[in-house]
Amino acid sequence: IETPAGPIHVTVSVGAVVFPDVAKTATDAMTKADIALQNAKRSGRNNWSLYRYTQEQRDIHQKNMVIAEQVKCALRDDRLKLSYQPIVDCETHEPVLHECLLRMIQPDGEVVPAGLFMPVVEELGLIRQIDRRVLELSVNVMLEHPEARLAINVSGLTSTDQSWLRHVVGLLRGQPTVAERL
């Protein structure tokens, strides 16, 4: 394309989905079209791709549904627990606070690190529930241990949610020392 500043090179990539054959809702169609677009870009750009639901995608979807159900049960059964990683002062080599790391405890006692279920939680929209539970767990620990200083990880989606902010304020109202240590 010629511009007053000189020519610029442009490519076009297209992701397509057959509606309603493969997608039943507008949101589903947009999500699947975006997947097709990413495939087109991975194919070298200036390309197009039609969304296809492969056996591999079916298998991944099925696995994700199992993980999501495990997480929902863990939430319901109070089997989400915190593990603590010290954050150390580089000069004194003393811990100044601890980062809360989420763990899911399976009914058989197996401990599942967050890295094995959080990507699914984020993809399937369960992240706000998880972030809320982590906040509640960390506040409870800080109420029980007045010396504890904790850091929690919160998703970007949660951090912009007004109901999340109201929940934080509600939990910390009347607890200024807890708020200072979180």
Side-chain angles (χ1 to χ4, degrees):
I1 298 175
E2 284 295 327
T3 71
I8 57 172
H9 180 72
V10 177
T11 64
V12 176
S13 298
V14 175
V17 64
V18 177
F19 185 81
D21 296 352
V22 177
K24 301 300 181 205
T25 66
T27 302
D28 190 30
M30 293 300 294
T31 300
K32 289 176 177 173
D34 189 52
I35 291 168
L37 176 61
Q38 298 311 314
N39 289 337
K41 289 179 177 180
R42 276 193 298 276
S43 297
R45 299 190 181 263
N46 209 27
N47 206 339
W48 69 278
S49 175
L50 178 64
Y51 177 84
R52 287 184 174 71
Y53 195 53
T54 66
Q55 185 59 46
E56 179 184 7
Q57 288 168 316
R58 281 185 190 87
D59 294 345
I60 290 169
H61 179 76
Q62 182 60 36
K63 179 182 167 201
N64 287 353
M65 292 299 105
V66 169
I67 292 170
E69 188 58 32
Q70 290 172 341
V71 170
K72 288 177 187 176
C73 289
L75 268 167
R76 183 191 67 226
D77 299 340
D78 195 28
R79 288 185 288 105
L80 292 177
K81 305 296 178 190
L82 297 177
S83 182
Y84 306 96
Q85 177 173 302
I87 307 297
V88 178
D89 182 288
C90 65
E91 291 179 5
T92 66
H93 304 285
E94 295 294 322
V96 292
L97 62 106
H98 288 79
E99 178 183 13
C100 297
L101 305 174
L102 188 63
R103 302 291 183 252
M104 179 172 60
I105 311 301
Q106 295 287 40
D108 66 2
E110 177 190 357
V111 178
V112 182
L116 296 180
F117 62 89
M118 286 303 286
V120 173
V121 164
E122 290 174 343
E123 181 180 326
L124 298 179
L126 299 171
I127 192 64
R128 287 183 174 122
Q129 292 172 275
I130 297 298
D131 285 345
R132 186 176 286 244
R133 186 64 186 137
V134 168
L135 173 67
E136 292 164 352
L137 289 169
S138 63
V139 168
N140 288 340
V141 167
M142 293 172 70
L143 288 170
E144 292 173 19
H145 302 278
E147 73 287 354
R149 296 181 60 81
L150 301 178
I152 61 174
N153 295 305
V154 179
S155 78
L157 188 62
T158 298
S159 69
T160 60
D161 181 3
Q162 289 301 309
S163 69
W164 160 261
L165 181 59
R166 286 190 298 275
H167 188 66
V168 171
V169 169
L171 277 177
L172 298 177
R173 182 173 285 125
Q175 305 291 340
T177 61
V178 172
E180 291 169 3
R181 294 181 289 125
L182 181 63

